[in-house]
Amino acid sequence: MDATTATPSLRRHSLDAVLGHAWDAEAFTASDVMAHVGLTRSTTIDVLDELAGRGLLTEMPNARAVGEYSKGRPARRFAFRPDAGLVVGVDAGRGHVTATVADLRGTPLATSRLTVDPERDDPGRRRRAAEATVEATLKRARRARGDIVALSVGVPAPVDRAGRSPAHHDGFWERMNPGFVDTFASWSPVVRVENDASLAAVAERARGAAVGCDDFVALLAGERFGAGVWVDGRLLRGAHGGAGETVAFDRVDGVGSALGLAPRCVDAARAAIAAGILPSDSALSRADPKTLDAKTVLDLAAAGDTGALAVAREVGGALAGVAGMFGSLFDVGRVIVSGAIASGAEPIIAAAVAALPRALDLPAPDIVASPLGADIVSIGAVAAAVDAARAHALDLEAFALPHDHGRA
């Protein structure tokens, strides 16, 4: 490698390393950066000055001014500027669109939610709904489109590396992802579109039940199963974005379909009521099958109702099959039950854990509940947008040096 290519590469490496440290740190000095990154003092100071010139750092009052330094030259102190730009996370679900505007560290500034008719999921209507929701959220945050540096969208469809979904036999995937990567190209210099379960995996890795875990599956488990697969420290997608696609469960004994835990609970409970096989002391036996929902079944199970616990054991057997399949295919250490149903899923998880050791030869994955709740896809969308902003910050015109603006 000659000097003309080596110097820019080394410079970029130094900028990336220092920015990476600054993004996660509180106020810091050049010595702090040197200890974490391993650059010389002169290079560190030069890089810090450039990042400040790009608007990504701000120089703080020096250490003497804040009482941390008494002798010698006071150390210059810097801090990352999370307000230097905006990221946007969009959960474009089957029956809703939720948008969150956040700063560069992912701290939410405003959120808006729009309910959409799932029976009228025309591609144009979905695009307009997503745009309107983002626009409303920007207005709530009192910010403008020009402040956005990265935007991420989660959709209930496979998504490839380019942000596009493959053709589906009834057009469902194309309707769920009607070219969002193009829709928002004029809104943000970086647009990342992902499968919703993949964003659940991003959320779990960032701040959920998979922090520090490199091999896990985030299982959106409400109405239908959706799986975000994280192996060897990275998100798996596949050639068409279909890694973890759950149509395969149609052919798995004991699972039978991609139906999620909620309808399985209701179906099993209704079948037990109709067959008259529930214990006479079970409150579930007296429930109205027509109005029965999964929350009622799981609340009763959590309270120790014998009939509801029997239902949980039945559904837990199916969850064990799902976890066993992912454990066998991907050798993950953890399967995380994610989404709104996670908060009440402990009786099902306990039953699945009891059944799982018989399911596979590899060490069984742990099955745990997510702490992130119903907003997990939105949380993941914001985290993915932050990741995208971090990866591309030095290439964005918003963070160019003053003399480079307009040439990016």
Side-chain angles (χ1 to χ4, degrees), residues 7 44 69 74 84 124 150 169 204 263 280 305 308 336 352:
T7 300
T44 299
Y69 206 99
H169 64 84
E204 298 291 3
S280 59
D305 183 274
I336 304 167

Side-chain angles (χ1 to χ4, degrees), residues 200-215:
V202 172
E204 298 291 3
R205 187 66 164 76
R207 51 184 283 196
V211 173
C213 181
D214 283 341
D215 303 281

